[in-house]
Every structure is written in structure tokens, then in C-alpha cells.
Amino acid sequence: MTVIAGQIPDQVPVALHNFLMAARMAGIPLSECLRSGQRMAESHLVAWRRFRHDMILVENGTTAVAQAFGCAVNYPDDVAPRVIDPVLKNLKRVDELRIPDPEKDFPLNEVLEAVRILRREWGDRVFIMGRADQAPMALAAAVRGHERFLLDLAECEEPAAIDQLLDRCVEATTRYALALRSAGAHGTSIGELGCDLISPALYRRYALPHLQKFFAAMRKAGFPAALHQCGNSKAVLPDMVASGASILELDVHTDPPTVKQATGGGTAVLGMVDPAGVVHRGTPERVREQSRRALDVLAPGGGFIIGPGCALVPETPEENVTALVETARRWGRYRRDGTLEHG
Ligand SMILES: [Zn+2]
């Protein structure tokens, strides 16, 4: 909370994007864990007892709101769930999409339950980020089918219908985020399509205005909200800042010095350690090196929460996560003036 408020904490906090890994550590099959709030909470408690991280990212994947909208979703045992039948076959039928009720509609109700259990367990000791799933473009792509949606954008025949769909997505996500808040979450996060998938021009035309609507609603509610984006986001970094998000969740493909330069003044950064190449496939030594570099560049002056820039796969070695947490504890301590003790 101190970081988000733009102040200097005692040390750089650690956030783990580890819902898949947590299920594995708890010995619960993913298909079971991600469909039950009780089991989801249980898995996070197991992982937290091991790593003692400061911020927990609670979610059941990237298909929650799409499923609540009526998409068919498959829950495999080894990877996150995926949409197998998008619900919106006809772009002209956006009206027929009913805004889900997070308290009743699966799986939103289960994620809310997980947040409630964790908040009861921890109170304010751990920051619970109840993730409100997908940002407008990413949610529209799930509801419409990714290929179909990218063609909708490219053909540009019905821009008004696309905006209408995006509005509906923002409405659903806002409602879900506020329900997560009532359930006890300290903040929320949504994931948007990055520039590995859409051009900066499309990002500015379609994503940005709808992101601004969402983050304005969150600011009005006093609820810290993050914008998650995978891949290299360099081309739209100033737009991400302009979205009004309190936190940008980024991975190493957007280089740390550029990120440090573009943020500040009310926008914090979460992530910047490579979840796949380093935390999953690297050695503890590699994790320490990259974490140390991220701390050196991003921590001075505050505004940084260290962690993997995206979800850790179930098989991530525990010793690598431990290396990340220990590096942050050892090298991430602040002096009062905002410099690092070991900087
Ligand atoms: Zn990601």
C-alpha cells in the first residue's frame, strides 16, 4: 500500500503470480483447484507458508469472465483453463451478452470465495490482489474468439459494434472488480492484449479509452488496480501510464531502464523478473542476478514491487522462487531517502 501511495516502504515488496504453481505445491489437480474457492485458497496458503511473499495474486486463469458470459471453457490438469467455444458468434448480437453476477455466476463466485477465505486468514498482513480477469480487448477476444476478433479489428467494418462490445466488457469487469473488493481484496488487476498481438495504433484506438474507463471507476472507488500486459510493451508504455492504472505489471521484454523512465509520479511497477526463461528454466544463481538487476534499476525512489512478470508454470522449481524472495529481502531494503541500503 505504501508503494502504491508513492511512498518509500521499509523494503521492496514481493508479489508472486503463482496460482498454477501453488496448486501443484498443494498437490491439488489444477482442474479441481481452479474451480473451487476453498481449494484455491488452500493452495495459496500452502505456497505462502513456504515463500512468505507480501502480495498474493488470486485468480483462476484468463477465462473467468468469458466463462461467466457463456463461453465453454476446458479445465486441463497441466495448464490454465482455455475457452473452447466463444459465445459471441455474431458481432451484431452484443446486446445479448448478459453482464454476469459475480456472486452467483461460476467461476467468479468461486474466486470471490477464495478471496474471502484468504482475507479472513490474513487480515491486512498480506496484500490480496483479487484479479478481475481480463482487460476489455483481451476479454472481447475471448468472448468472440481470438482469430475472429483480430479479423474484426483488421477489417474495420463495424467499429461501433466493436466499441459496444468493449463497453460491455468494461461493465462486466468493473462489476467483478468491485465484488472482489467487497469480498476483501486490497486491490485488483486486469490483463490486456499487448503489442505482440495488436498494433500500437489499434491499442490507442480501442484499448486505451476503455482501459481509462475501467481505471477511472477503480480510482473513484479508491481501489488500487493494475494493468497486466505480456510481451514487449515499449511502444505503448506512455499509453499504459495514461490509462490511469495504479500499477503496471510488466515482464523483462520491456527493458527495465525504459520502464523506470516512463513510470513514476503515481504509477508503480510490478514484475520485471522473467517467469519462463529465468524462474522456470534458470538456476537460482540466474534468478538472483536478474532480481538484483531489477532492484538496482527499478527500486530507487520507490514505485517497485518485484516478482515474476507473468504466471509461473506449475513445474517452476521452488528453490528459484526462494532465490527471488531472498534476493528481495537482502538487497531490497531502503534507506529513508529512497536509495537502497546495498545499492
Ligand atoms: Zn502475462
Side-chain angles (χ1 to χ4, degrees):
M1 292 303 268
T2 307
V3 173
I4 295 165
Q7 290 157 6
I8 305 293
D10 55 344
Q11 55 182 8
V12 174
V14 179
L16 293 183
H17 198 161
N18 66 335
F19 70 107
L20 299 170
M21 186 187 173
R24 181 160 182 269
M25 287 174 75
I28 308 169
L30 270 185
S31 58
E32 182 189 334
C33 191
L34 301 182
R35 282 190 280 196
S36 152
Q38 178 73 44
R39 300 297 261 164
M40 248 180 272
E42 215 177 296
S43 70
H44 279 290
L45 289 167
V46 167
W48 186 79
R49 275 183 216 116
R50 172 77 203 262
F51 302 124
R52 305 268 161 171
H53 38 308
D54 306 290
M55 188 186 236
I56 308 278
L57 275 53
V58 183
E59 64 183 297
N60 89 328
T62 57
T63 58
V65 179
Q67 183 169 18
F69 260 136
C71 297
V73 168
N74 176 33
Y75 284 79
D77 272 332
D78 49 349
V79 289
R82 51 197 162 210
V83 172
I84 47 172
D85 188 21
V87 69
L88 188 64
K89 309 288 184 215
N90 184 342
L91 190 55
K92 293 189 173 70
R93 294 262 172 91
V94 174
D95 283 351
E96 292 173 12
L97 281 179
R98 187 185 58 82
I99 301 295
D101 178 349
E103 295 293 344
K104 293 199 187 108
D105 291 328
F106 181 86
L108 311 184
N109 56 346
E110 294 297 334
V111 180
L112 291 182
E113 179 62 11
V115 166
R116 269 185 210 109
I117 295 169
L118 292 171
R119 181 68 191 261
R120 256 201 318 270
E121 190 72 27
W122 287 319
D124 289 327
R125 204 167 152 214
V126 182
F127 186 108
I128 300 166
M129 185 186 265
R131 308 189 89 216
D133 199 47
Q134 297 300 85
M137 295 282 273
L139 178 54
V143 165
R144 183 87 176 106
H146 275 76
E147 290 172 8
R148 190 57 256 172
F149 185 62
L150 291 175
L151 283 172
D152 292 339
L153 292 170
E155 288 164 0
C156 201
E157 279 164 7
E158 299 173 274
I162 294 173
D163 276 319
Q164 200 194 348
L165 169 59
L166 293 168
D167 274 337
R168 202 123 287 212
C169 291
V170 171
E171 203 183 322
T173 308
T174 304
R175 186 171 179 192
Y176 183 31
L178 295 175
L180 286 159
R181 181 180 183 237
S182 304
H186 298 91
T188 192
S189 169
I190 53 172
E192 188 53 293
L193 300 182
C195 289
D196 296 351
L197 271 172
I198 55 168
S199 69
L202 281 177
Y203 190 92
R204 283 174 205 125
R205 163 64 184 84
Y206 289 108
L208 185 57
H210 294 93
L211 288 170
Q212 283 170 330
K213 256 183 228 172
F214 175 78
F215 289 113
M218 294 304 110
R219 283 191 184 260
K220 196 170 158 214
F223 194 39
L227 173 56
H228 178 100
Q229 222 161 275
C230 298
N232 186 341
S233 295
K234 198 170 174 178
V236 292
L237 254 187
D239 304 292
M240 293 177 76
V241 171
S243 72
S246 302
I247 305 168
L248 303 186
E249 291 179 23
L250 297 164
D251 65 30
V252 279
H253 300 294
T254 314
D255 77 294
T258 309
V259 169
K260 185 67 177 173
Q261 222 171 23
T263 54
T267 312
V269 174
L270 186 160
M272 301 313 282
V273 180
D274 182 356
V278 176
V279 190
H280 174 209
R281 289 191 296 269
T283 58
E285 194 44 42
R286 274 279 284 137
V287 175
R288 278 192 282 271
E289 271 168 34
Q290 197 178 57
S291 306
R292 184 79 205 275
R293 210 169 38 241
L295 289 168
D296 284 345
V297 176
L298 288 149
F304 184 44
I305 300 162
I306 194 168
C310 198
L312 296 170
V313 295
E315 311 72 36
T316 305
E318 289 183 31
E319 60 268 29
N320 284 359
V321 178
T322 302
L324 193 162
V325 176
E326 283 176 359
T327 306
R329 300 299 186 226
R330 173 148 185 232
W331 302 100
R333 287 199 302 272
Y334 280 107
R335 295 192 193 95
R336 281 236 177 109
D337 66 357
T339 57
L340 290 177
E341 275 182 20
H342 297 284

